Amino acid sequence: MIHPYTGDTTDIRPTERGNMSDLTALVECEKGPFFVKAMRNRPGGRRDSIVREKRINPFVQPVSPALRWHAEDEEWIALGFDLVDARPSNFKPGSPDLPSVVELLNRVGELDLPDVARDWPETRWDRFASNESEAELFQGDALLHADINPSNLLVGDQEVWAVDWAWPTRGAAFIDPAQLIVQLIAAGHCAEAAESWAAECKVWADADPKAIDAFATATVRMWRAMADRRPSEPWLAAVAAAAQVWADHRAAVRRRSASTE
């Protein structure tokens, strides 16, 4: 199916990341190389995500590798991206990657919301909010990557890239930096240090603290629900624990603020 776009292949190396796809691979080929992502062509969320990634790519190319081709038949749907010389970012305390990660999130935050994304409202956290009023705080008109983790923010010698735009949405701008906080805590940062990195993101200063508090609580509930559904994957429990550390930090800050008023 993809031969018209790749020509003859000389090497195919499956990648470690991309566990939500049926195939992710670095493909050395006559017309490449390419990073190839493919899924079984079956109705549902996973097919929808790869179609959404195809549609958003022209609008995120300032920060993401370009999609060079796509192919589809009754069994498969595949995307072929430029292959970039980069590695997953290191989120651990003291990592030299952290300034580049923040810079990248700032570039993501500056992307315009394209018309194609206006019908993609962010709703994944809504059912974990305490009420509808809190869920409304997650709404907005920013284009969100909404899956911030080390594997999706790649660092090269000259460039940094945000990849795997599998589920971009329209929502409150603070959500991407908020996800960074949870990931930093999971990587070993204390909550205060993790928030200090998020504070380097331009959109963070404009965020309503009440919205951030509500999102932190909803994030705990979301990750706990996922960890409960998939107990054989300990990384989910680890991220849920990190989210709890952040939510506890936010609650402690509120209590200290209230006691001094």
Side-chain angles (χ1 to χ4, degrees):
M1 183 185 76
I2 70 173
H3 186 269
Y5 306 100
T6 64
D8 292 340
T9 58
T10 56
D11 188 32
I12 300 174
R13 288 171 286 156
T15 65
E16 293 182 2
R17 63 184 179 87
N19 59 353
M20 295 303 293
S21 302
D22 292 310
L23 169 73
T24 56
L26 309 180
V27 178
E28 299 284 350
C29 56
E30 184 179 355
K31 299 181 181 181
F34 299 109
F35 171 74
V36 176
K37 171 186 273 190
M39 291 186 185
R40 300 285 182 180
N41 199 353
R42 298 167 182 160
R46 296 178 72 189
R47 184 189 187 280
D48 291 348
S49 73
I50 202 168
V51 170
R52 190 175 287 202
E53 187 166 5
K54 177 185 73 174
R55 296 179 67 190
I56 200 63
N57 183 262
F59 306 100
V60 300
Q61 284 187 22
V63 298
S64 179
L67 175 66
R68 294 303 180 186
W69 51 263
H70 65 274
E72 182 175 357
D73 63 15
E74 292 183 356
E75 185 175 359
W76 289 94
I77 181 169
L79 307 179
F81 296 90
D82 280 343
L83 183 61
V84 297
D85 185 12
R87 56 170 174 77
S89 51
N90 181 347
F91 278 15
K92 292 182 179 179
S95 167
D97 293 349
L98 296 177
S100 296
V101 166
V102 170
E103 176 192 3
L104 180 57
L105 285 189
N106 277 324
R107 291 171 62 198
V108 170
E110 292 169 355
L111 295 173
D112 293 330
L113 179 73
D115 288 341
V116 70
R118 292 193 178 277
D119 293 332
W120 299 342
E122 181 52 72
T123 60
R124 281 167 288 187
W125 283 267
D126 289 6
R127 66 190 180 97
F128 300 104
S130 297
N131 50 56
E132 289 186 9
S133 296
E134 284 195 355
E136 289 176 359
L137 298 174
F138 310 155
Q139 298 176 7
D141 286 323
L143 175 64
L144 302 176
H145 181 284
D147 189 12
I148 302 300
N149 65 67
S151 293
N152 288 343
L153 305 182
L154 305 184
V155 177
D157 290 339
Q158 303 295 330
E159 287 284 347
V160 288
W161 308 93
V163 300
D164 197 9
W165 289 79
W167 211 256
T169 52
R170 173 178 59 81
F174 73 84
I175 288 178
D176 277 351
Q179 288 188 295
L180 174 66
I181 291 172
V182 175
Q183 292 290 328
L184 290 176
I185 294 171
H189 294 254
C190 69
E192 185 175 5
E195 278 206 347
S196 71
W197 283 109
E200 297 292 323
C201 296
K202 298 173 184 176
V203 298
W204 193 256
D206 298 327
D208 181 352
K210 292 181 180 179
I212 297 173
D213 290 341
F215 185 81
T217 302
T219 297
V220 174
R221 294 171 181 151
M222 183 181 74
W223 283 104
R224 280 181 176 170
M226 289 192 292
D228 289 344
R229 287 198 306 269
R230 293 151 61 184
S232 62
E233 300 183 42
W235 70 272
L236 289 170
V239 178
Q244 185 66 65
V245 169
W246 182 39
D248 290 345
H249 169 74
R250 298 289 305 182
V253 170
R254 289 197 304 275
R255 288 194 296 270
R256 289 197 298 268
S257 178
S259 67
T260 59
E261 291 179 356

